[in-house]
Amino acid sequence: MKETVILTDLAIGYQAKDNNKVVAEHLNATIHGGELTCLLGRNGVGKSTLLRTLSAFQPALAGDILLQTDDQQRKALKQFSDKQLSRMIGVVLTEKPDVRNMTVEELVGMGRSPYTGFWGTLTDKDLLIVDEAIQLVGVESLKGRYIHTLSDGERQKVMIAKALAQQTPVIYLDEPTAFLDFPSKVEVMQLLHRLAREQQKTIFLSTHDVELSLQVADCIWLMEPQLLSVGTPRQLADEGVLSRFIEHKGILFDAKSLTIRVTE
C-alpha cells in the first residue's frame, strides 16, 4: 500500500505566548492509500486535535506531517500553499451544513472550488466530475433536492460526494456517523471502505463507533494518553490493546470475534 501521510515524531496541541499546551507527542505512524483507517480514543485524548493538525487547521507543535505527492515525493504539510492543500486534502466535518435553498448538485459542485474559485462557473468537465461523485455515493435520485430536506444519512452521503468532487487523494472525516441511526452508520462506513479500495483514496476518520470500526476498518489508530497504537483490528486484538481500551466494569471484549458485550 502507498504511504500517503507520514507522521514523524509529531507533537500536537495549542500554542500560547508563555508555554504550549501539549495534547500528545512523539506520534509516529503512517496512513496508507487504498485503506480505511479509523481513529479511536476516549473523549479528551486528542482525536479532534490530531485531525485538525492533519488537516492543517492548526499547526503542529513539533515534528512533521509528510504528504506523498503524485510524483512520489514526500513534502512536509507546512510547505504546501492553501491552494495546493485544497487539491491534496478533503475534509468532512461533524457539523451539519447550515444551508437552505441549495440543491444537492449545487453543494457537491462546491467541491470543485479549488479548481474554479469559490464563485467560479462550472465547466462541462466540472459538471461531469460532480455527476460521477454523486453516482459513486449512490444519491443520483437526490440531485435536485434541497439540502435542508434531506435525512442525516442522506446529507452525510452528499458531503462525502462533495469531498469526492474535490478530487483529493486524501479525505479526512470527523465523526461521520455521529448523527446517524445504526443502519445508516453501517451504510456510510461500508461506503467509505469501498471508496478507499475502488478509488484508491486515503480515507481517515475519527469515530466513537468502536465495534463498527473493528468490523469495517482496514487499520485502527487507538489514541491513549502518551500512546498511539496502530494496526489491523486483528493485530490490536491479539496484542491485548483493544481489551485494555474497551473492557471496563460491565463491558467485555471478545478478541476472537472482535465484538463487545454488555454484562449485567
Side-chain angles (χ1 to χ4, degrees), residues 182-245:
F182 187 72
S184 297
K185 289 177 187 283
V186 174
E187 191 175 2
V188 166
M189 291 289 279
Q190 289 176 331
L191 168 64
L192 292 170
H193 187 264
R194 176 172 59 81
L195 292 172
R197 290 288 178 88
E198 294 180 0
Q199 304 298 313
Q200 284 301 293
K201 298 287 187 183
T202 302
I203 299 183
F204 181 88
L205 63 91
S206 66
T207 181
H208 286 294
D209 290 317
V210 176
E211 190 168 12
L212 181 55
S213 297
L214 299 183
Q215 301 293 327
V216 179
D218 297 297
C219 183
I220 297 291
W221 285 25
L222 177 58
M223 281 190 79
E224 299 173 278
Q226 306 305 317
L227 180 64
L228 176 64
S229 301
V230 176
T232 66
R234 173 50 50 206
Q235 287 171 335
L236 296 187
D238 291 345
E239 292 168 7
V241 173
L242 293 175
S243 294
R244 182 181 69 232
F245 169 63

Side-chain angles (χ1 to χ4, degrees), residues 112 115-116 120-130:
R112 299 302 298 158
Y115 309 92
T116 65
T121 302
L122 299 184
T123 65
D124 288 343
K125 180 183 177 182
D126 291 319
L127 292 172
L128 182 61
I129 291 168
V130 168

Side-chain angles (χ1 to χ4, degrees), residues 4-19:
T4 312
V5 184
I6 303 99
L7 280 57
T8 58
D9 204 30
L10 182 69
I12 60 173
Y14 302 91
Q15 294 180 333
K17 283 187 177 181
D18 299 328
N19 61 329

Side-chain angles (χ1 to χ4, degrees), residues 6 16 19 22-23 32 51 58 66 71 81 107 140 160 170 176 181 193 238 251:
I6 303 99
N19 61 329
V22 178
V23 173
H32 293 88
L51 204 57
Q58 68 185 68
L66 304 177
D71 58 3
S81 67
L107 182 60
E140 299 96 318
I160 294 169
V170 179
D181 57 33
H193 187 264
D238 291 345
I251 305 173

Side-chain angles (χ1 to χ4, degrees), residues 115-180:
Y115 309 92
T116 65
F118 187 78
W119 296 111
T121 302
L122 299 184
T123 65
D124 288 343
K125 180 183 177 182
D126 291 319
L127 292 172
L128 182 61
I129 291 168
V130 168
D131 277 345
E132 290 174 347
I134 288 172
Q135 289 172 19
L136 280 171
V137 301
V139 292
E140 299 96 318
S141 63
L142 304 178
K143 278 179 65 173
R145 286 268 300 276
Y146 287 111
I147 296 300
H148 68 274
T149 69
L150 302 179
S151 70
D152 289 336
E154 290 169 338
R155 189 184 300 109
Q156 193 61 280
K157 288 182 183 179
V158 171
M159 297 307 295
I160 294 169
K162 176 176 175 287
L164 289 173
Q166 198 174 331
Q167 289 191 313
T168 59
V170 179
I171 299 176
Y172 297 137
L173 303 99
D174 183 19
E175 296 285 348
T177 59
F179 302 112
L180 309 185

